Amino acid sequence: MCKVGRERLEKTPDKRVREALQLVYSRFIEFQSVRQVNIWLRDEGIELPVKSRKGEAQGIVCKLPTYSIVHHILTNPIYAGAYAFGRTTSRVSVEDGRKRIRRGVHRPMAEWDVLIKDHHEAYITWDAFERNLRMIANNATAKSSAKARGAVRQGELLLAGLLRCGHCGRKLHVRYSGKIGRYDCCGARTIHGTKRCISFSGMTIDAAIGKEVLGFLAPLGVDAAVKAIAAQTGEISATQRQLELSLHQARYEVAHARRQYDAVDPANRLVAGELERR
């Protein structure tokens, strides 16, 4: 986003930056994982806009993304047309008799100091932004994320992260022996050292779920195939578009450097030497 005047925000006029941000959102809808979006962008060689650091030209530069860059784009309300203030805070604790300050602690949205929706033009709707936040939260795989579904990972079982134990209510974990998977309730054993509640093979329940899903999708088969082809074509076009814009930017920078060099007096070595290096 670009600041216009003292208060107004607008989308950047740089078409390459705008389309790169839109590509992040569209790929997240498809992959439903920040990590997978980041891997796809790096594999395709697509760069994302970031603020320049010290020693670089001021403003925005484009670089191959990292997980934190993709995560920031997907979770920053400014891209959803909202102005927010007070999203993070500092926490003070005492450890070994010494004060420890932890800065940048994220606060729940309800505790933000200021949140003004529809403040400026957005890349995605607020509903889509909140849906993305819920999806990212559900993808949490830390041990403390007992309520989260967890991100989709490798394995044959279909219901990983979706089943709960009928006895204790804890999330069932997936365990494999070769390609044969089982659903286990091992939370009580891990936390309290007691016996597991239940453990059962995933073959029967997955077969039943798969049959129901295929039965529901069968009438939509042709339409789904057409949409899949269209989505693949759109993905290729979007990737090519970003590479074309990157090439256009590189050509502009080369021509700009050449114009600067041609405009300077060769005798002025203080300037000409730097332009030759560039």
Side-chain angles (χ1 to χ4, degrees), residues 28 31-37 39 67 132 134-143 145-162 164 171-174 176:
F28 184 74
F31 298 138
Q32 300 185 13
S33 166
V34 179
R35 177 176 174 273
Q36 292 301 322
V37 173
I39 292 174
Y67 178 92
N132 289 346
R134 289 194 296 269
M135 194 175 299
I136 292 172
N138 276 331
N139 285 346
T141 55
K143 292 182 179 180
S145 305
K147 296 182 180 180
R149 183 182 63 192
V152 178
R153 293 187 169 188
Q154 294 179 344
E156 300 292 332
L157 295 185
L158 302 176
L159 305 177
L162 299 177
R164 298 277 172 172
K171 182 167 60 177
L172 296 185
H173 293 264
V174 171
Y176 288 96

Side-chain angles (χ1 to χ4, degrees), residues 90-134:
S90 299
R91 289 182 181 173
V92 179
S93 59
V94 178
E95 297 182 4
D96 299 327
R98 302 185 64 178
K99 182 174 73 172
R100 181 173 180 267
I101 301 177
R102 182 185 174 193
R103 295 181 173 85
V105 179
H106 289 277
R107 305 165 69 184
M109 189 183 300
E111 298 179 8
W112 293 354
D113 296 331
V114 178
L115 176 59
I116 305 175
K117 300 178 184 178
D118 300 321
H119 178 265
H120 51 268
E121 187 180 5
Y123 286 90
I124 58 171
T125 65
W126 185 257
D127 289 340
F129 172 72
E130 290 188 315
R131 184 167 58 250
N132 289 346
L133 291 184
R134 289 194 296 269

